[in-house]
Amino acid sequence: MLTDARKLIQQASHIAVLTGAGISAESGIPTFRGPGGLWRNFRPEDLATPEAFARDPILVWEWYQWRRGIIAHAEPHAGHFALVALESRKGRTGFTLITQNVDGLHDRAGSSAPLKLHGDIWTLRCTCCAHSWVDLRPDFNPFPPACPECQSLARPGVVWFGESLPQDTWRLAEQAVTFAELILVIGTSSVVFPAAGLIPLARHVGTKVIEVNPEETPISDSVDFHFRAPAGELLPLLLE
Ligand code: BJW
Ligand code: ZN
């Protein structure tokens, strides 16, 4: 199975990769769902919606500040680096990395311009004016953080439930999966839309699908290859 999948990867002239929280699990960053997932201890509707932020911005900011602290101490692993090596083999026109992750580990590993469907935890946005900026401090002082332009309340630069994805990024992701001959789906439960919709879209136009996930997901039965293994172990073997 590994040999056949490797052949597909070698032969494909364009590969799209869709990653989710599971690729960062071996870096020590909790996933959302599943054992130890963030949603086991917190209700998403209490923390990751515009309504939750309007109701209790301090609670939501405390949660993001806690996660920023964990992410700041995490390092990319062999799986992230294997994707960087694949990108350099395939070249600019042969590879697109699409991620649902907000942690920035792909950038820190060396991936060039990943398409970030759900934003970036290190970016802040003003709730009043159009200003957005990068702030790499895990701890804010003053707390909660304020806009440097107009002093209004800042919010995390991420996409919450009920919010639209960044339109240009989304269009590029759709183009990539329809243009690609192969999509690698790594470490995502494939339940959050519209990101999860990229996989049926790819299949619809004949793109082959390889899934890397220790658990079954709603797409597992319909993919060409499903490797039930952690990304940090499997990707270096698959992409060597
Ligand atoms: C490993 C591993 C290892 C473990 N190696 N793997 C169509 C149908 C139904 C609902 C909707 C729909 N369209 C829209 C919706 C509503 C909603 C939605 O999808 N809800 C579903 C949950 C039912 N979607 C939205 O609201 C989206 N907006 C939108 O559609 O706008 C238009 C619209 C508006 C209003 C109404 C209708 C349409 C926005 C979604 C935003 C998601 N935001 C979050 C938070 C981001 C900020 C933050 O980080 O705080 O994004 S939620 C959370 O889930 C986060 C993730 O990016 C996202 C996906 O999770 P992911 O990455 O898959 O992680 P997990 O934890 O679920 O899975 C980890 C996997 O890894 C597991 O499978 C493990 O087995 C595996 N794993 N170790 C490899 N070592
Ligand atoms: Zn402002």
Side-chain angles (χ1 to χ4, degrees):
M1 193 159 91
L2 198 57
T3 315
D4 292 339
R6 277 198 191 122
K7 214 176 276 168
L8 262 185
I9 291 164
Q10 273 156 19
Q11 286 168 354
S13 57
H14 188 119
I15 296 180
V17 178
L18 173 66
T19 65
I23 196 171
S24 296
E26 290 151 273
S27 294
I29 301 175
T31 60
F32 293 91
R33 299 162 191 87
L38 291 170
W39 295 155
R40 289 288 167 110
N41 300 315
F42 306 96
R43 292 180 347 129
E45 56 272 30
D46 289 341
L47 292 164
T49 65
E51 293 78 18
F53 188 69
R55 202 165 44 234
D56 195 343
I58 303 281
L59 175 74
V60 172
W61 260 125
E62 279 171 351
W63 187 57
Y64 277 95
Q65 184 157 265
W66 170 69
R67 288 176 55 204
R68 284 162 64 104
I70 294 174
I71 295 167
H73 290 102
E75 296 293 337
H77 59 66
H80 294 99
F81 292 117
L83 291 177
V84 179
L86 179 64
E87 175 176 359
S88 70
R89 282 211 304 281
K90 294 290 175 185
R92 240 193 180 308
T93 53
F95 183 89
T96 307
L97 176 58
I98 306 161
T99 188
Q100 298 167 82
N101 297 347
V102 300
D103 57 34
L105 286 198
H106 287 304
D107 311 74
R108 281 168 55 198
S111 289
S112 73
L115 298 175
K116 296 180 185 175
L117 297 180
H118 295 160
D120 187 325
I121 204 166
W122 302 109
T123 300
L124 275 64
R125 267 200 341 254
C126 182
T127 52
C128 266
C129 73
H131 191 56
S132 78
W133 66 100
V134 172
D135 186 330
L136 300 174
R137 294 171 300 168
D139 291 311
F140 295 110
N141 185 15
F143 181 86
C147 172
E149 298 290 324
C150 76
Q151 277 66 55
S152 300
L153 178 66
R155 58 159 284 175
V158 301
V159 180
W160 285 324
F161 286 114
E163 293 186 317
S164 299
L165 275 56
Q167 282 312 294
D168 292 353
T169 308
W170 175 249
R171 243 173 260 126
L172 289 171
E174 278 185 321
Q175 276 167 18
V177 303
T178 44
F179 182 65
E181 284 136 65
L182 172 66
I183 177 167
L184 302 181
V185 182
I186 305 163
T188 175
S189 56
S190 296
V191 296
V192 174
F193 286 82
L198 290 172
I199 303 143
L201 174 66
R203 288 202 64 77
H204 183 70
V205 296
T207 307
K208 300 271 187 216
V209 183
I210 297 177
E211 183 182 40
V212 179
N213 194 317
E215 306 291 336
E216 289 277 318
T217 73
I219 67 156
S220 300
D221 283 345
S222 61
V223 301
D224 297 283
F225 295 96
H226 177 200
F227 293 100
R228 259 182 231 160
E233 288 173 24
L234 197 277
L235 290 179
L237 291 174
L238 183 64
L239 305 177
E240 72 185 6

